[in-house]
Amino acid sequence: MVSCRWFEILIPANYFCSTVVRKDSLEKYPGLEDALMKMDGILTDKEMAGLNYKVEVEGKNEADVAKEFLISKGVIEE
């Protein structure tokens, strides 16, 4: 197996996050837009890289990592 860690160092990843949701979903689920807006702008490239590291390298569960992050940002309660 060949490691590409040098590639990550030379060309850092950029995570341009955005929320895409269908209008009918917003109509069907009142409060969904407000819930999604709580996450607007809370995630930096550095944080996203850290979350990916926890899952891909440390082998942590995706749902657990996401929940821990959202709790730390005050988006959800424990």
Side-chain angles (χ1 to χ4, degrees), residues 13-54:
N14 288 312
Y15 301 95
F16 297 107
C17 300
S18 65
T19 302
V20 178
V21 62
R22 293 170 46 137
K23 183 178 178 182
D24 61 329
S25 294
L26 294 176
E27 292 168 353
K28 185 175 180 178
Y29 301 101
L32 176 60
E33 184 173 10
D34 291 336
L36 293 172
M37 290 306 295
K38 288 181 181 180
M39 297 188 296
D40 187 42
I42 67 167
L43 186 62
T44 65
D45 284 354
K46 184 175 181 179
E47 289 169 321
M48 188 67 217
L51 296 173
N52 282 338
Y53 183 87
K54 288 179 181 183

